[in-house]
Amino acid sequence: MSKCSTGLAAVTIVLSAGAAQAEPIRFEYWYGLSGQLGDVVQQTCDRFNQSQDDYEIVCVGQDGYANAVQNSIAAFRADQHPTIVQAYDAGTADLMMSGEFYPVSQMMEDFGIEIDWDDYFPGIANYYASSTGELFSMPFNSSTPMMYYNIEDLEAAGITPPETWEAFEEALVTLKANGEECAFAYTPSTWIDLEQFSMAHGVPIATNNNGYDGLDSEYVYNTTIHVQHMENIKRWHDEDLLEIRTTQGGLNARDSFAQGECSFYFGSIASHSTVHNLVEDTFEWDVAMIPVYEGTERKNTVVGGASLWVLSGKSDDEYRGAAAYLQFLATPESERFWVTNTGYIPVTRSGFEALNAEGFYENEPYRGRELALASLTYTDPTPITRGIRLGSFIQARSEWVNEVEAALQGQKTMQEALDTAVERSNALLDRFARTYRGQELP
């Protein structure tokens, strides 16, 4: 090679290097939300990419929380996993015990990014933290269940929104007597019927304070007031006081309510925005906290939704990009964008107080969403109501759904169904404990 060509080559290399450095660092984020909520996730990614030139986040929808977690695990084995994954509450214990993550509080400290972690609502942040308070994943889309009701149907029947399950049953009877075809659109849900119900009533679903105090836990929900509640639901179904509405059956409970077919349904506050858009001012509706049985001292419900986990095995540049994205999400502007365009609640005190101060929750379409925070903070979390830390919980939820559906179809009693679900779920817990024999929850 001549001296001239050598010089040209050197210049080419320098220019190429300069061009390479100008390229943003790319990293992937797999999320589970779909539909309108998934669209808003994508918009947060677009806003981040447009806000700076150093990083490019590639956001890939996985069509469901379970898919996001399971696909990430499969991709991890092939070293093709994303840098960030949106994982729902049910996968928390599994991810914690895997150890294959970069604790977000540690990552932000490593990259010199200050986040006021004390500003996060304890009931939300504690769900994703170790026993010593180290935050493992970033609180993001947080919710809790609500009772959605048709104001016009209730007023026509002369009833007020029920605060107890006894009053709720009376409301169903009155609505039916008043000519309503569908008083209650129901879909079996472990999150609402079991987990949040147990939190609000201050009863455990498993020993060891719902798994927090040891891997050798066992489910006990087949011995609590949960049994009575599910037997009531079965009876209401038999007495035509509720209708099972599922997507597989043609119209799910949310849409049955939003189309004005049914007077009640229970769902996440995250559906608030979607319900508002579907109703399109065709009738008046509102939300309230889920009822409790008479004689119950109501407790706080617990956070649902998902958090953002940063997975292990990535480069420093990718982690730097992930830290920048999480810092972007933590800004008041991003929190406001997320809360405004979804039904989710703020995860920080300052975010909630700022919205309250400007009257955000006093007007449509946001009025009523503040009740979700009232439910989450109704009491200080107790060892029973701070959350759930049980391995293989995703599969255990399926066991509950399968058995409850069998009971609703008349194949067995509700007690038999819950006994079977507990037996099978305890086998899952036992297998999980043996997998991590000798270890403790962090």
Side-chain angles (χ1 to χ4, degrees), residues 45-104:
C45 300
D46 295 341
R47 293 177 68 246
F48 172 71
N49 288 336
Q50 292 163 8
S51 71
Q52 45 75 49
D53 298 322
D54 296 329
Y55 309 103
E56 179 183 354
I57 188 168
V58 179
C59 298
V60 184
Q62 302 295 310
D63 194 24
Y65 286 139
N67 290 341
V69 174
Q70 291 165 0
N71 292 346
S72 294
I73 292 172
F76 195 93
R77 293 170 180 148
D79 198 25
Q80 299 294 319
H81 56 288
T83 304
I84 302 174
V85 61
Q86 181 190 35
Y88 62 165
D89 48 350
T92 301
D94 295 54
L95 282 162
M96 280 186 171
M97 292 305 295
S98 76
E100 297 293 354
F101 61 89
Y102 194 165
V104 294

Side-chain angles (χ1 to χ4, degrees), residues 147 154 157-176 183-184 228-229 232 235-236 241 264 266 289-295 298:
M147 179 180 73
L154 267 60
I159 53 181
T160 56
E163 296 182 0
T164 67
W165 285 110
E166 289 84 353
F168 182 77
E169 179 176 339
E170 292 175 9
L172 298 184
V173 172
T174 305
L175 284 166
K176 293 293 289 187
F184 176 20
Q228 174 192 334
H229 183 55
N232 283 339
R235 180 170 55 78
W236 298 341
L241 296 177
F264 285 107
F266 291 81
M289 285 190 275
I290 62 173
V292 294
Y293 280 96
E294 292 177 358
R298 179 190 286 275

Side-chain angles (χ1 to χ4, degrees), residues 19 27 34 113 122 141 150 173 212 215 220 300 329 372 380 410 437:
F27 60 99
S34 58
I113 297 174
N141 53 306
N150 184 316
V173 172
Y212 271 77
L215 295 177
V220 295
N300 63 286
L329 291 181
D380 289 335
R437 189 187 304 276

Side-chain angles (χ1 to χ4, degrees), residues 53-331:
D53 298 322
D54 296 329
Y55 309 103
E56 179 183 354
I57 188 168
V58 179
C59 298
V60 184
Q62 302 295 310
D63 194 24
Y65 286 139
N67 290 341
V69 174
Q70 291 165 0
N71 292 346
S72 294
I73 292 172
F76 195 93
R77 293 170 180 148
D79 198 25
Q80 299 294 319
H81 56 288
T83 304
I84 302 174
V85 61
Q86 181 190 35
Y88 62 165
D89 48 350
T92 301
D94 295 54
L95 282 162
M96 280 186 171
M97 292 305 295
S98 76
E100 297 293 354
F101 61 89
Y102 194 165
V104 294
S105 55
Q106 182 63 55
M107 181 180 71
M108 300 308 249
E109 182 179 340
D110 290 345
F111 290 106
I113 297 174
E114 290 189 9
I115 299 286
D116 182 8
W117 300 115
D118 291 336
D119 192 29
Y120 285 76
F121 285 107
I124 296 175
N126 288 344
Y127 203 105
Y128 307 114
S130 71
S131 57
T132 59
E134 183 181 20
L135 200 60
F136 285 169
S137 60
M138 185 83 168
F140 180 49
N141 53 306
S142 296
S143 63
T144 210
M146 289 280 108
M147 179 180 73
Y148 288 73
Y149 61 93
N150 184 316
I151 294 175
E152 296 175 12
D153 287 352
L154 267 60
E155 287 183 347
I159 53 181
T160 56
E163 296 182 0
T164 67
W165 285 110
E166 289 84 353
F168 182 77
E169 179 176 339
E170 292 175 9
L172 298 184
V173 172
T174 305
L175 284 166
K176 293 293 289 187
N178 203 46
E180 296 296 337
E181 287 291 326
C182 174
F184 176 20
Y186 174 74
T187 302
S189 164
T190 54
W191 185 60
I192 297 172
D193 298 327
L194 172 59
E195 299 157 37
Q196 300 290 349
F197 173 90
S198 298
M199 296 293 160
H201 287 78
V203 298
I205 71 167
T207 59
N208 285 331
N209 287 324
N210 291 331
Y212 271 77
D213 296 346
L215 295 177
D216 57 339
S217 304
E218 292 186 339
Y219 288 95
V220 295
Y221 60 75
N222 60 331
T223 64
T224 72
I225 193 174
H226 173 64
V227 177
Q228 174 192 334
H229 183 55
M230 295 312 299
E231 288 177 339
N232 283 339
I233 285 179
K234 172 67 167 67
R235 180 170 55 78
W236 298 341
H237 178 244
D238 294 342
E239 296 174 356
D240 197 30
L241 296 177
L242 72 78
E243 291 190 12
I244 296 174
R245 297 292 183 100
T246 63
T247 301
Q248 295 79 3
L251 199 63
N252 62 33
R254 183 199 65 193
D255 292 354
S256 297
F257 173 81
Q259 292 187 17
E261 292 190 11
C262 304
S263 303
F264 285 107
Y265 112 95
F266 291 81
S268 169
I269 192 63
S271 297
H272 195 277
S273 177
T274 303
V275 170
H276 176 81
N277 293 334
L278 290 173
V279 171
E280 293 183 330
D281 297 325
T282 54
F283 63 86
E284 290 187 81
W285 61 278
D286 208 340
V287 295
M289 285 190 275
I290 62 173
V292 294
Y293 280 96
E294 292 177 358
T296 298
E297 186 177 341
R298 179 190 286 275
K299 299 293 191 300
N300 63 286
T301 53
V302 71
V303 64
S307 62
L308 305 185
W309 291 76
V310 179
L311 301 181
S312 63
K314 295 297 180 180
S315 67
D316 283 352
D317 281 344
E318 289 169 303
Y319 285 137
R320 195 170 286 108
Y325 180 63
L326 298 188
Q327 181 185 28
F328 173 80
L329 291 181
T331 62

Side-chain angles (χ1 to χ4, degrees), residues 332-333 336-337 339-340 350-363 366:
E333 295 77 17
R336 180 186 176 84
F337 175 84
V339 169
T340 301
S350 61
F352 178 64
E353 290 167 358
L355 292 171
N356 246 345
E358 64 184 62
F360 179 85
Y361 292 110
E362 295 175 3
N363 301 304
Y366 314 114

